[in-house]
Amino acid sequence: MERVKEEIERLRYLLEEHNHRYYVLSDPSISDQEYDALMHRLEELEAQHPELITPHSPTQRVGSDRTEGFATITHRYPMLSLSNTYSYDEVKDFYERVCREIGRDVEVVAELKYDGLSISLVYEDGVLSRAVTRGDGRLGDDVTANVRTIRSIPLRLQGEGYPRELEVRGEILLPWVEFERINQSRIAEDEPPFANPRNAASGTLKQLDPKVVAARKLDAYLYHVPGEQPELPHTHYERLACCRRWGLKVSHATHLCHSLEDILAFLDHWDAARSHEPVATDGVVLKVNSIAEQEELGYTAKSPRWAIAYKFKAEQVQTELLSVDYQVGRTGTITPVANLAPVAISGTIVRRASLHNADFIASLDLHLGDTVAVEKGGEIIPKIVSVVPSLRSVSAPRVGFPSVCPACGTALERIAGEAAYFCPARSSCPEQQRGRVEHFCSRKAADIRIGPETIDLLFEHGLLSDIGGLYALEEEQLLGLPGFQRRSASNLVRSIEESRERSYSSILFGLGIRFVGETTAKTLARAYPSIDELSAASQEDLCAVPEIGPVIAGSVVDFFAQQSNRSLIETLRGAGVQLSREVTEQSDSGAESVLSGLSIVISGVFALHTRDEYKALIERLGGKISSAISSKTDYVLAGEKMGPAKLAKAESLGVRILDEAAFLALIEQGTDDKHKH
């Protein structure tokens, strides 16, 4: 069981890191398929050990693309992600499952999947009133001013027949032509080019100046009208047709499929034809057509059970391996990176690719000058997948892995059971210290507004060697550096001053303790109100904290056991940085809620309230909405046309079934009925 806990902790940490890189930084470091493999493994372990599931697990949430500087909006309907599949067999499994659960053959709408930034548009009386990013699925950023600059999104709907309030969802995209134009301009101005159109679209939409957004000529495709709205058609395909009539841009690559054969034919066609599309695509989305059947199938915590995304196989090309660099991360991990002869893949020029670790290099038997096959995993991350030995020169030297740190010369070490080598000289390795400073300054940590280039500059000129050195910087020192003027120097010093007021949990996250992400830092800060109490805790003490297992506990103990880290804490204390929790968090539970702790499944059509109103009511009263009936279900709120399969399952498990009247009576009775149950 301890090994299971350790693996779950490791997977959660990795997934949170990749969520942050993908949704917040727009700088993913692994492919969608690799991410999904990690998520599937975590889901598998949590299914086997449900007692280890926590509310903060990545399986219970959607990744966030929230950005400071924009107003926060709560979505009326959650914006969930889709489950991914990579094979026709998995598509077949999806189709057969939905047919089996509905009890008959279902119609499925197949749509080309575009690779951009998800958006929700709200029209009131036909006029665009709000545009919100997906965010974390529940809360998103209000980017209305920026979206108004996108010419393909109408500010006013055409024709007639649209509802008084219409929400429609889609994808903000940057066409290939614009992507190349912008990158050429950035290179000419000595700015780093965007990695791919999705990153460019994401970065553009988050600009605080709408004029910048307008100049980049974003595009959009709309593909979904959420919710049960009686005035709209009762099928997804007909709703898309309405959107077209009202002037909304809907993809031409949409087809109503009546069988599995229809679906596979659509996949075959667009796997080849997508290369002619003017925007980036990465797969096909399959959705059950009937809105009623969608509601019957329901949702998991992360995604609808009535839809799935099929991802195309990545495009693969051959090029030459020129050299290999070895990068040192802030935790000391050594990552090999291949330098390649420039080659075009999926619309972008690729010059570098990850080689993962020493074992990966050895498995390829890689030699300098090799002809290698490169693909973009998930259409984003370039990676070497194979070598062509027949084209290798007999004198080509084999690529080895260094035995010492390329930054400081310290002998590398490898932890048993882990793939990576790391440099143990945490306090003296300059690359690790650079990485730690950059992490400490990040928005969710100390929030010091400084870029990696400036950090490099400070290290190169001897003004900075670790995190503590930030608080010794003075304006006059900065004015002697290239590119610094009085205003920029003053802004940096002021930002450092403001970081002294950051919360204890933010600073704890910023220290970069291995396996301690943002959520874990908050958990530790609640359990140990000061860093002194935390540093004195034993591994056994830490393991007694909910959601803290032996891997995290061991990492925390190891961090505070190092003299260099204890010295850093004292430096931060002397600088006035918050190292304790000043205000105890107040419990928001209040009096016991009527439905507190109860799991409720909603099924069918209702007369007095909509399903969404019932969902909101249940959550407000402390209940939890579940999409599937199980032995853990407390009640089923049953309306008209409840699926016979769900009804039979509830009865077989002895789950109490309530109609609208009985459910409302339960709420009115207060907590008495809950205690009897």
Side-chain angles (χ1 to χ4, degrees), residues 115-119 147 150 153 170-174 201 205 218-220:
D115 191 21
L117 184 74
S118 298
I119 196 73
V147 165
I150 301 174
I153 294 178
E171 207 85 355
I172 303 295
L173 303 151
L174 187 69
L205 200 63
L218 293 170
D219 198 353

Side-chain angles (χ1 to χ4, degrees), residues 594 662-674 676:
V594 176
F663 178 73
L664 294 173
L666 168 67
I667 293 172
E668 290 173 3
Q669 290 169 9
T671 58
D672 288 346
D673 191 277
K674 175 188 169 184
K676 291 174 186 177

Side-chain angles (χ1 to χ4, degrees), residues 458-519:
L458 293 171
F459 268 86
E460 289 165 9
H461 285 77
L463 295 182
L464 196 60
S465 61
D466 61 14
I467 291 169
L470 288 165
Y471 294 94
L473 292 174
E474 298 177 354
E475 276 191 41
E476 296 306 319
Q477 292 175 303
L478 298 173
L479 289 173
L481 300 179
F484 267 97
Q485 302 297 324
R486 177 67 65 179
R487 182 177 179 181
S488 55
S490 175
N491 286 343
L492 176 54
V493 170
R494 183 170 62 253
S495 182
I496 294 171
E497 288 290 327
E498 291 170 352
S499 75
R500 290 177 165 89
E501 303 304 317
R502 291 289 287 172
S503 69
Y504 163 45
S505 64
S506 297
I507 297 300
L508 187 57
F509 169 59
L511 291 176
I513 303 172
R514 197 176 189 208
F515 302 124
V516 176
E518 181 192 8
T519 300

Side-chain angles (χ1 to χ4, degrees), residues 242-438:
C242 288
C243 289
R244 287 192 185 93
R245 289 200 303 272
W246 297 329
L248 295 162
K249 187 172 182 179
V250 176
S251 171
H252 64 99
T254 302
H255 183 66
L256 181 60
C257 303
H258 302 280
S259 66
L260 178 62
E261 290 70 25
D262 286 351
I263 294 171
L264 298 183
F266 187 90
L267 300 183
D268 284 339
H269 171 76
W270 282 107
D271 196 5
R274 67 191 175 104
S275 61
H276 303 297
E277 289 294 289
V279 293
T281 62
D282 61 353
V284 167
V285 175
L286 304 173
K287 302 173 185 174
V288 170
N289 188 33
S290 165
I291 304 301
E293 290 173 356
Q294 289 181 5
E295 292 300 323
E296 184 173 344
L297 290 164
Y299 302 80
T300 68
K302 291 177 70 266
S303 58
R305 300 182 71 251
W306 44 265
I308 197 168
Y310 169 79
K311 291 297 192 79
F312 292 127
K313 290 181 173 60
E315 180 185 350
Q316 194 174 107
V317 299
Q318 291 185 354
T319 188
E320 181 185 357
L321 173 66
L322 302 177
S323 62
V324 177
D325 292 336
Y326 297 90
Q327 299 177 341
V328 186
R330 67 177 173 84
T331 62
T333 300
I334 310 299
T335 303
V337 178
N339 296 305
L340 307 169
V343 62
I345 311 178
S346 301
T348 61
I349 301 300
V350 171
R351 294 178 174 84
R352 289 163 68 82
S354 173
L355 287 171
H356 303 295
N357 51 54
D359 291 344
F360 183 78
I361 291 175
S363 70
L364 291 174
D365 186 27
L366 204 58
H367 288 61
L368 293 180
D370 271 350
T371 297
V372 294
V374 182
E375 69 177 33
K376 275 192 174 182
E379 303 293 326
I380 295 177
I381 307 300
K383 61 180 180 180
I384 293 175
V385 293
S386 63
V387 176
V388 185
S390 60
L391 299 178
R392 177 182 297 156
S393 167
V394 292
S395 60
R398 176 180 274 110
V399 175
F401 204 85
S403 59
V404 299
C405 174
C408 68
T410 302
L412 298 181
E413 297 180 2
R414 190 175 193 177
I415 298 175
E418 294 195 11
Y421 282 91
F422 72 96
C423 170
R426 298 170 182 171
S427 60
S428 58
C429 179
E431 284 303 309
Q432 290 188 59
Q433 290 299 333
R434 277 185 172 88
R436 291 181 68 180
V437 169
E438 187 174 343

Side-chain angles (χ1 to χ4, degrees), residues 159-220:
E160 55 187 23
Y162 44 78
R164 189 190 67 78
E165 181 174 280
L166 173 71
E167 180 177 357
V168 60
R169 293 173 175 177
E171 207 85 355
I172 303 295
L173 303 151
L174 187 69
W176 287 117
V177 171
E178 273 300 295
F179 174 70
E180 293 297 339
R181 182 189 67 79
I182 292 170
N183 268 355
Q184 288 174 8
S185 174
R186 291 175 69 85
I187 292 170
E189 295 173 8
D190 201 26
E191 294 181 348
F194 288 115
N196 52 66
R198 186 209 171 272
N199 287 15
S202 174
T204 299
L205 200 63
K206 297 303 181 68
Q207 292 285 330
L208 296 178
D209 184 356
K211 292 181 181 178
V212 175
V213 184
R216 290 188 178 173
K217 300 179 183 177
L218 293 170
D219 198 353

Side-chain angles (χ1 to χ4, degrees), residues 433-451:
Q433 290 299 333
R434 277 185 172 88
R436 291 181 68 180
V437 169
E438 187 174 343
H439 175 73
F440 182 81
C441 293
S442 63
R443 183 172 62 86
K444 293 188 176 183
D447 193 23
I448 297 174
R449 290 175 286 283
I450 182 174

